[in-house]
mmCIF file of all heavy atoms in Angstrom:
data_model
loop_
_atom_site.group_PDB
_atom_site.id
_atom_site.type_symbol
_atom_site.label_atom_id
_atom_site.label_comp_id
_atom_site.label_asym_id
_atom_site.label_seq_id
_atom_site.Cartn_x
_atom_site.Cartn_y
_atom_site.Cartn_z
ATOM 1 N N GLU V 145 93.769 66.333 117.303
ATOM 2 C CA GLU V 145 93.540 65.776 115.971
ATOM 3 C C GLU V 145 92.869 66.869 115.137
ATOM 4 O O GLU V 145 92.063 67.652 115.662
ATOM 5 C CB GLU V 145 92.693 64.528 116.237
ATOM 6 C CG GLU V 145 92.059 63.769 115.161
ATOM 7 C CD GLU V 145 90.672 64.256 114.947
ATOM 8 O OE1 GLU V 145 89.902 64.422 115.916
ATOM 9 O OE2 GLU V 145 90.383 64.536 113.794
ATOM 10 N N VAL V 146 93.227 66.973 113.843
ATOM 11 C CA VAL V 146 92.869 68.166 113.054
ATOM 12 C C VAL V 146 91.374 68.480 112.978
ATOM 13 O O VAL V 146 90.977 69.639 113.132
ATOM 14 C CB VAL V 146 93.463 68.137 111.616
ATOM 15 C CG1 VAL V 146 94.958 68.342 111.639
ATOM 16 C CG2 VAL V 146 93.105 66.866 110.887
ATOM 17 N N ILE V 149 89.996 69.990 116.254
ATOM 18 C CA ILE V 149 90.496 71.331 116.561
ATOM 19 C C ILE V 149 89.866 72.375 115.637
ATOM 20 O O ILE V 149 89.454 73.453 116.070
ATOM 21 C CB ILE V 149 92.036 71.357 116.473
ATOM 22 C CG1 ILE V 149 92.608 70.475 117.588
ATOM 23 C CG2 ILE V 149 92.583 72.782 116.586
ATOM 24 C CD1 ILE V 149 94.050 70.122 117.420
ATOM 25 N N ARG V 150 89.724 72.021 114.367
ATOM 26 C CA ARG V 150 89.102 72.961 113.434
ATOM 27 C C ARG V 150 87.642 73.223 113.807
ATOM 28 O O ARG V 150 87.189 74.370 113.826
ATOM 29 C CB ARG V 150 89.192 72.406 112.020
ATOM 30 C CG ARG V 150 88.750 73.424 111.010
ATOM 31 C CD ARG V 150 88.702 72.831 109.631
ATOM 32 N NE ARG V 150 88.582 73.880 108.628
ATOM 33 C CZ ARG V 150 88.439 73.630 107.336
ATOM 34 N NH1 ARG V 150 88.427 72.383 106.904
ATOM 35 N NH2 ARG V 150 88.321 74.615 106.487
ATOM 36 N N ASP V 153 87.296 75.478 116.793
ATOM 37 C CA ASP V 153 87.509 76.892 116.480
ATOM 38 C C ASP V 153 86.241 77.536 115.917
ATOM 39 O O ASP V 153 85.913 78.679 116.238
ATOM 40 C CB ASP V 153 88.669 77.053 115.494
ATOM 41 C CG ASP V 153 89.071 78.517 115.344
ATOM 42 O OD1 ASP V 153 89.676 79.049 116.299
ATOM 43 O OD2 ASP V 153 88.734 79.140 114.317
ATOM 44 N N ARG V 154 85.521 76.792 115.088
ATOM 45 C CA ARG V 154 84.250 77.298 114.542
ATOM 46 C C ARG V 154 83.244 77.504 115.682
ATOM 47 O O ARG V 154 82.544 78.513 115.725
ATOM 48 C CB ARG V 154 83.663 76.303 113.539
ATOM 49 C CG ARG V 154 84.450 76.199 112.265
ATOM 50 C CD ARG V 154 84.034 77.256 111.264
ATOM 51 N NE ARG V 154 82.688 76.998 110.776
ATOM 52 C CZ ARG V 154 81.828 77.938 110.406
ATOM 53 N NH1 ARG V 154 82.187 79.193 110.484
ATOM 54 N NH2 ARG V 154 80.631 77.621 109.969
ATOM 55 N N GLY V 157 84.062 80.567 117.571
ATOM 56 C CA GLY V 157 83.678 81.742 116.784
ATOM 57 C C GLY V 157 82.204 82.068 116.959
ATOM 58 O O GLY V 157 81.817 83.232 117.118
ATOM 59 N N ILE V 158 81.376 81.031 116.939
ATOM 60 C CA ILE V 158 79.929 81.244 117.082
ATOM 61 C C ILE V 158 79.589 81.661 118.511
ATOM 62 O O ILE V 158 78.771 82.544 118.738
ATOM 63 C CB ILE V 158 79.168 79.979 116.654
ATOM 64 C CG1 ILE V 158 79.312 79.837 115.133
ATOM 65 C CG2 ILE V 158 77.691 80.049 117.049
ATOM 66 C CD1 ILE V 158 78.927 78.515 114.586
ATOM 67 N N ASP V 160 81.434 83.450 120.420
ATOM 68 C CA ASP V 160 81.786 84.861 120.535
ATOM 69 C C ASP V 160 80.785 85.784 119.842
ATOM 70 O O ASP V 160 80.701 86.959 120.175
ATOM 71 C CB ASP V 160 83.187 85.108 119.949
ATOM 72 C CG ASP V 160 84.276 84.666 120.915
ATOM 73 O OD1 ASP V 160 84.004 84.611 122.131
ATOM 74 O OD2 ASP V 160 85.394 84.367 120.458
ATOM 75 N N GLN V 187 105.378 62.272 121.927
ATOM 76 C CA GLN V 187 106.835 62.226 122.005
ATOM 77 C C GLN V 187 107.474 61.888 120.663
ATOM 78 O O GLN V 187 108.531 62.397 120.326
ATOM 79 C CB GLN V 187 107.268 61.199 123.053
ATOM 80 C CG GLN V 187 107.141 61.729 124.469
ATOM 81 C CD GLN V 187 107.266 60.626 125.501
ATOM 82 O OE1 GLN V 187 107.937 59.629 125.258
ATOM 83 N NE2 GLN V 187 106.611 60.793 126.631
ATOM 84 N N SER V 188 106.827 61.026 119.892
ATOM 85 C CA SER V 188 107.419 60.641 118.606
ATOM 86 C C SER V 188 107.022 61.595 117.479
ATOM 87 O O SER V 188 107.362 61.367 116.330
ATOM 88 C CB SER V 188 107.024 59.210 118.261
ATOM 89 O OG SER V 188 105.631 59.134 118.080
ATOM 90 N N GLY V 189 106.317 62.665 117.827
ATOM 91 C CA GLY V 189 105.972 63.665 116.805
ATOM 92 C C GLY V 189 104.818 63.267 115.916
ATOM 93 O O GLY V 189 104.614 63.832 114.854
ATOM 94 N N GLU V 190 104.035 62.289 116.348
ATOM 95 C CA GLU V 190 102.904 61.850 115.522
ATOM 96 C C GLU V 190 101.573 62.418 116.023
ATOM 97 O O GLU V 190 100.531 62.157 115.437
ATOM 98 C CB GLU V 190 102.814 60.321 115.536
ATOM 99 C CG GLU V 190 103.960 59.635 114.840
ATOM 100 C CD GLU V 190 104.043 58.180 115.229
ATOM 101 O OE1 GLU V 190 104.355 57.885 116.404
ATOM 102 O OE2 GLU V 190 103.772 57.337 114.381
ATOM 103 N N MET V 191 101.614 63.126 117.146
ATOM 104 C CA MET V 191 100.387 63.730 117.668
ATOM 105 C C MET V 191 100.700 65.161 118.085
ATOM 106 O O MET V 191 101.765 65.428 118.648
ATOM 107 C CB MET V 191 99.868 62.909 118.860
ATOM 108 C CG MET V 191 98.572 63.416 119.447
ATOM 109 S SD MET V 191 97.955 62.364 120.775
ATOM 110 C CE MET V 191 96.946 61.213 119.835
ATOM 111 N N LEU V 192 99.762 66.073 117.820
ATOM 112 C CA LEU V 192 99.957 67.479 118.151
ATOM 113 C C LEU V 192 100.244 67.682 119.640
ATOM 114 O O LEU V 192 99.611 67.073 120.495
ATOM 115 C CB LEU V 192 98.702 68.271 117.786
ATOM 116 C CG LEU V 192 98.514 68.591 116.307
ATOM 117 C CD1 LEU V 192 97.051 68.936 116.034
ATOM 118 C CD2 LEU V 192 99.410 69.747 115.886
ATOM 119 N N LYS V 193 101.192 68.578 119.924
ATOM 120 C CA LYS V 193 101.512 68.918 121.307
ATOM 121 C C LYS V 193 100.475 69.904 121.844
ATOM 122 O O LYS V 193 99.921 70.702 121.091
ATOM 123 C CB LYS V 193 102.876 69.615 121.368
ATOM 124 C CG LYS V 193 104.057 68.696 121.220
ATOM 125 C CD LYS V 193 105.354 69.466 121.406
ATOM 126 C CE LYS V 193 105.626 70.329 120.195
ATOM 127 N NZ LYS V 193 106.977 70.914 120.168
ATOM 128 N N ASP V 196 101.012 73.547 120.875
ATOM 129 C CA ASP V 196 100.616 73.878 119.505
ATOM 130 C C ASP V 196 99.106 74.102 119.416
ATOM 131 O O ASP V 196 98.635 75.018 118.743
ATOM 132 C CB ASP V 196 101.030 72.756 118.542
ATOM 133 C CG ASP V 196 102.547 72.672 118.388
ATOM 134 O OD1 ASP V 196 103.218 73.667 118.729
ATOM 135 O OD2 ASP V 196 103.050 71.627 117.958
ATOM 136 N N GLU V 199 98.221 77.403 120.914
ATOM 137 C CA GLU V 199 98.639 78.493 120.041
ATOM 138 C C GLU V 199 97.638 78.663 118.882
ATOM 139 O O GLU V 199 97.226 79.777 118.557
ATOM 140 C CB GLU V 199 100.031 78.179 119.495
ATOM 141 C CG GLU V 199 100.671 79.297 118.704
ATOM 142 C CD GLU V 199 101.935 78.815 117.996
ATOM 143 O OE1 GLU V 199 102.734 78.080 118.621
ATOM 144 O OE2 GLU V 199 102.099 79.157 116.811
ATOM 145 N N ILE V 200 97.216 77.550 118.302
ATOM 146 C CA ILE V 200 96.288 77.608 117.164
ATOM 147 C C ILE V 200 94.938 78.177 117.603
ATOM 148 O O ILE V 200 94.365 79.039 116.945
ATOM 149 C CB ILE V 200 96.100 76.202 116.536
ATOM 150 C CG1 ILE V 200 97.398 75.733 115.872
ATOM 151 C CG2 ILE V 200 94.963 76.206 115.520
ATOM 152 C CD1 ILE V 200 97.418 74.250 115.525
ATOM 153 N N LEU V 201 94.427 77.708 118.749
ATOM 154 C CA LEU V 201 93.086 78.108 119.169
ATOM 155 C C LEU V 201 93.075 79.414 119.964
ATOM 156 O O LEU V 201 92.028 80.022 120.148
ATOM 157 C CB LEU V 201 92.432 77.002 120.001
ATOM 158 C CG LEU V 201 92.039 75.729 119.256
ATOM 159 C CD1 LEU V 201 91.480 74.708 120.233
ATOM 160 C CD2 LEU V 201 91.022 76.016 118.162
ATOM 161 N N ASP V 202 94.247 79.839 120.466
ATOM 162 C CA ASP V 202 94.373 81.066 121.228
ATOM 163 C C ASP V 202 93.398 81.070 122.421
ATOM 164 O O ASP V 202 92.485 81.888 122.507
ATOM 165 C CB ASP V 202 94.121 82.268 120.307
ATOM 166 C CG ASP V 202 94.486 83.578 120.974
ATOM 167 O OD1 ASP V 202 95.275 83.542 121.933
ATOM 168 O OD2 ASP V 202 93.962 84.635 120.559
ATOM 169 N N PHE Z 4 112.195 56.465 115.172
ATOM 170 C CA PHE Z 4 111.147 57.468 114.959
ATOM 171 C C PHE Z 4 111.670 58.703 114.221
ATOM 172 O O PHE Z 4 110.918 59.446 113.630
ATOM 173 C CB PHE Z 4 110.489 57.850 116.283
ATOM 174 C CG PHE Z 4 111.361 58.639 117.216
ATOM 175 C CD1 PHE Z 4 111.376 60.021 117.144
ATOM 176 C CD2 PHE Z 4 112.135 57.994 118.170
ATOM 177 C CE1 PHE Z 4 112.172 60.751 118.014
ATOM 178 C CE2 PHE Z 4 112.925 58.724 119.030
ATOM 179 C CZ PHE Z 4 112.960 60.097 118.954
ATOM 180 N N LYS Z 7 110.863 58.505 110.653
ATOM 181 C CA LYS Z 7 109.455 58.593 110.313
ATOM 182 C C LYS Z 7 109.069 60.054 110.079
ATOM 183 O O LYS Z 7 109.644 60.959 110.652
ATOM 184 C CB LYS Z 7 108.621 58.042 111.480
ATOM 185 C CG LYS Z 7 107.487 57.151 111.010
ATOM 186 C CD LYS Z 7 106.598 56.776 112.159
ATOM 187 C CE LYS Z 7 107.113 55.586 112.953
ATOM 188 N NZ LYS Z 7 106.310 55.336 114.137
ATOM 189 N N LYS Z 8 108.101 60.263 109.261
ATOM 190 C CA LYS Z 8 107.645 61.625 108.995
ATOM 191 C C LYS Z 8 106.978 62.177 110.255
ATOM 192 O O LYS Z 8 106.142 61.518 110.856
ATOM 193 C CB LYS Z 8 106.639 61.585 107.851
ATOM 194 C CG LYS Z 8 106.443 62.907 107.187
ATOM 195 C CD LYS Z 8 105.528 62.712 105.985
ATOM 196 C CE LYS Z 8 104.977 64.017 105.528
ATOM 197 N NZ LYS Z 8 103.810 63.827 104.665
ATOM 198 N N ARG Z 9 107.379 63.384 110.620
ATOM 199 C CA ARG Z 9 106.778 63.993 111.803
ATOM 200 C C ARG Z 9 105.433 64.597 111.416
ATOM 201 O O ARG Z 9 105.349 65.769 111.076
ATOM 202 C CB ARG Z 9 107.690 65.069 112.371
ATOM 203 C CG ARG Z 9 109.064 64.577 112.753
ATOM 204 C CD ARG Z 9 108.991 63.683 113.972
ATOM 205 N NE ARG Z 9 110.306 63.410 114.517
ATOM 206 C CZ ARG Z 9 110.920 64.192 115.398
ATOM 207 N NH1 ARG Z 9 110.350 65.287 115.821
ATOM 208 N NH2 ARG Z 9 112.104 63.870 115.849
ATOM 209 N N SER Z 10 104.401 63.798 111.481
ATOM 210 C CA SER Z 10 103.115 64.271 110.966
ATOM 211 C C SER Z 10 102.483 65.351 111.836
ATOM 212 O O SER Z 10 101.653 66.120 111.369
ATOM 213 C CB SER Z 10 102.151 63.095 110.790
ATOM 214 O OG SER Z 10 101.923 62.468 112.021
ATOM 215 N N ALA Z 11 102.882 65.443 113.124
ATOM 216 C CA ALA Z 11 102.290 66.457 113.995
ATOM 217 C C ALA Z 11 102.586 67.869 113.498
ATOM 218 O O ALA Z 11 101.720 68.746 113.547
ATOM 219 C CB ALA Z 11 102.782 66.282 115.426
ATOM 220 N N SER Z 12 103.807 68.090 112.986
ATOM 221 C CA SER Z 12 104.136 69.439 112.525
ATOM 222 C C SER Z 12 103.384 69.761 111.233
ATOM 223 O O SER Z 12 102.994 70.904 110.987
ATOM 224 C CB SER Z 12 105.646 69.613 112.351
ATOM 225 O OG SER Z 12 106.110 68.764 111.342
ATOM 226 N N ALA Z 14 100.376 68.614 110.664
ATOM 227 C CA ALA Z 14 99.027 68.901 111.163
ATOM 228 C C ALA Z 14 98.939 70.345 111.630
ATOM 229 O O ALA Z 14 97.966 71.046 111.343
ATOM 230 C CB ALA Z 14 98.683 67.955 112.309
ATOM 231 N N LYS Z 15 99.979 70.805 112.321
ATOM 232 C CA LYS Z 15 99.962 72.179 112.840
ATOM 233 C C LYS Z 15 99.921 73.183 111.692
ATOM 234 O O LYS Z 15 99.120 74.129 111.710
ATOM 235 C CB LYS Z 15 101.193 72.425 113.706
ATOM 236 C CG LYS Z 15 101.134 73.760 114.420
ATOM 237 C CD LYS Z 15 102.387 74.095 115.153
ATOM 238 C CE LYS Z 15 102.250 75.479 115.775
ATOM 239 N NZ LYS Z 15 103.513 75.928 116.377
ATOM 240 N N ASP Z 16 100.750 72.980 110.687
ATOM 241 C CA ASP Z 16 100.788 73.898 109.548
ATOM 242 C C ASP Z 16 99.450 73.916 108.813
ATOM 243 O O ASP Z 16 98.917 74.982 108.486
ATOM 244 C CB ASP Z 16 101.896 73.492 108.562
ATOM 245 C CG ASP Z 16 103.276 73.639 109.182
ATOM 246 O OD1 ASP Z 16 103.380 74.337 110.217
ATOM 247 O OD2 ASP Z 16 104.235 73.047 108.651
ATOM 248 N N ARG Z 17 98.900 72.737 108.567
ATOM 249 C CA ARG Z 17 97.645 72.666 107.813
ATOM 250 C C ARG Z 17 96.497 73.304 108.594
ATOM 251 O O ARG Z 17 95.675 74.033 108.053
ATOM 252 C CB ARG Z 17 97.317 71.208 107.478
ATOM 253 C CG ARG Z 17 98.279 70.615 106.452
ATOM 254 C CD ARG Z 17 97.976 69.156 106.178
ATOM 255 N NE ARG Z 17 96.620 68.972 105.701
ATOM 256 C CZ ARG Z 17 95.798 68.004 106.114
ATOM 257 N NH1 ARG Z 17 96.205 67.130 107.005
ATOM 258 N NH2 ARG Z 17 94.591 67.905 105.636
ATOM 259 N N LEU Z 18 96.481 73.031 109.916
ATOM 260 C CA LEU Z 18 95.428 73.595 110.763
ATOM 261 C C LEU Z 18 95.503 75.116 110.818
ATOM 262 O O LEU Z 18 94.487 75.804 110.757
ATOM 263 C CB LEU Z 18 95.571 73.051 112.178
ATOM 264 C CG LEU Z 18 94.666 71.896 112.568
ATOM 265 C CD1 LEU Z 18 95.012 71.432 113.964
ATOM 266 C CD2 LEU Z 18 93.201 72.313 112.518
ATOM 267 N N THR Z 19 96.732 75.628 110.946
ATOM 268 C CA THR Z 19 96.908 77.077 111.056
ATOM 269 C C THR Z 19 96.310 77.757 109.825
ATOM 270 O O THR Z 19 95.578 78.747 109.940
ATOM 271 C CB THR Z 19 98.411 77.408 111.175
ATOM 272 O OG1 THR Z 19 98.939 76.643 112.256
ATOM 273 C CG2 THR Z 19 98.631 78.880 111.459
ATOM 274 N N ALA Z 21 94.052 76.434 107.588
ATOM 275 C CA ALA Z 21 92.612 76.177 107.468
ATOM 276 C C ALA Z 21 91.823 77.068 108.416
ATOM 277 O O ALA Z 21 90.809 77.669 108.041
ATOM 278 C CB ALA Z 21 92.319 74.706 107.749
ATOM 279 N N ILE Z 22 92.306 77.216 109.643
ATOM 280 C CA ILE Z 22 91.583 78.003 110.638
ATOM 281 C C ILE Z 22 91.644 79.493 110.301
ATOM 282 O O ILE Z 22 90.661 80.228 110.456
ATOM 283 C CB ILE Z 22 92.113 77.687 112.063
ATOM 284 C CG1 ILE Z 22 91.555 76.328 112.492
ATOM 285 C CG2 ILE Z 22 91.743 78.772 113.054
ATOM 286 C CD1 ILE Z 22 91.971 75.857 113.858
ATOM 287 N N MET Z 23 92.792 79.933 109.767
ATOM 288 C CA MET Z 23 92.910 81.330 109.350
ATOM 289 C C MET Z 23 91.851 81.643 108.291
ATOM 290 O O MET Z 23 91.193 82.676 108.348
ATOM 291 C CB MET Z 23 94.307 81.574 108.768
ATOM 292 C CG MET Z 23 95.001 82.787 109.320
ATOM 293 S SD MET Z 23 96.775 82.699 109.018
ATOM 294 C CE MET Z 23 96.845 82.535 107.242
ATOM 295 N N SER Z 24 91.711 80.725 107.360
ATOM 296 C CA SER Z 24 90.744 80.952 106.287
ATOM 297 C C SER Z 24 89.303 80.863 106.800
ATOM 298 O O SER Z 24 88.450 81.671 106.431
ATOM 299 C CB SER Z 24 91.030 79.958 105.153
ATOM 300 O OG SER Z 24 89.867 79.387 104.667
ATOM 301 N N ASP Z 25 89.020 79.910 107.706
ATOM 302 C CA ASP Z 25 87.677 79.814 108.313
ATOM 303 C C ASP Z 25 87.318 81.112 109.023
ATOM 304 O O ASP Z 25 86.217 81.627 108.885
ATOM 305 C CB ASP Z 25 87.634 78.699 109.380
ATOM 306 C CG ASP Z 25 87.710 77.308 108.774
ATOM 307 O OD1 ASP Z 25 87.547 77.192 107.545
ATOM 308 O OD2 ASP Z 25 87.945 76.350 109.537
ATOM 309 N N ARG Z 26 88.280 81.620 109.791
ATOM 310 C CA ARG Z 26 88.003 82.822 110.594
ATOM 311 C C ARG Z 26 87.761 84.024 109.710
ATOM 312 O O ARG Z 26 86.894 84.849 110.000
ATOM 313 C CB ARG Z 26 89.181 83.113 111.528
ATOM 314 C CG ARG Z 26 89.229 82.188 112.721
ATOM 315 C CD ARG Z 26 90.403 82.541 113.609
ATOM 316 N NE ARG Z 26 90.551 81.572 114.701
ATOM 317 C CZ ARG Z 26 91.615 81.523 115.480
ATOM 318 N NH1 ARG Z 26 92.622 82.349 115.295
ATOM 319 N NH2 ARG Z 26 91.676 80.630 116.457
ATOM 320 N N LEU Z 29 84.334 83.946 108.390
ATOM 321 C CA LEU Z 29 83.294 84.048 109.405
ATOM 322 C C LEU Z 29 83.190 85.443 110.002
ATOM 323 O O LEU Z 29 82.113 85.964 110.207
ATOM 324 C CB LEU Z 29 83.602 83.028 110.508
ATOM 325 C CG LEU Z 29 82.524 82.759 111.523
ATOM 326 C CD1 LEU Z 29 81.404 81.954 110.896
ATOM 327 C CD2 LEU Z 29 83.112 81.994 112.702
ATOM 328 N N LYS Z 30 84.337 86.057 110.280
ATOM 329 C CA LYS Z 30 84.293 87.226 111.153
ATOM 330 C C LYS Z 30 84.574 88.557 110.482
ATOM 331 O O LYS Z 30 84.047 89.570 110.899
ATOM 332 C CB LYS Z 30 85.337 87.054 112.274
ATOM 333 C CG LYS Z 30 84.933 86.046 113.305
ATOM 334 C CD LYS Z 30 86.019 85.967 114.363
ATOM 335 C CE LYS Z 30 85.747 84.848 115.345
ATOM 336 N NZ LYS Z 30 86.958 84.481 116.063
#
Side-chain angles (χ1 to χ4, degrees):
Chain V
E145 170 267 312
V146 289
I149 294 165
R150 188 186 193 184
D153 190 73
R154 291 274 291 149
I158 290 166
D160 282 336
Q187 282 167 29
S188 64
E190 292 163 292
M191 182 177 270
L192 282 161
K193 284 185 286 191
D196 291 342
E199 187 190 317
I200 293 166
L201 290 177
D202 190 21
Chain Z
F4 70 89
K7 223 187 276 174
K8 199 175 163 197
R9 302 290 191 87
S10 61
S12 64
K15 188 186 177 187
D16 295 343
R17 291 178 58 223
L18 261 176
T19 306
I22 284 180
M23 229 161 57
S24 136
D25 289 347
R26 284 181 186 169
L29 192 72
K30 287 181 187 161

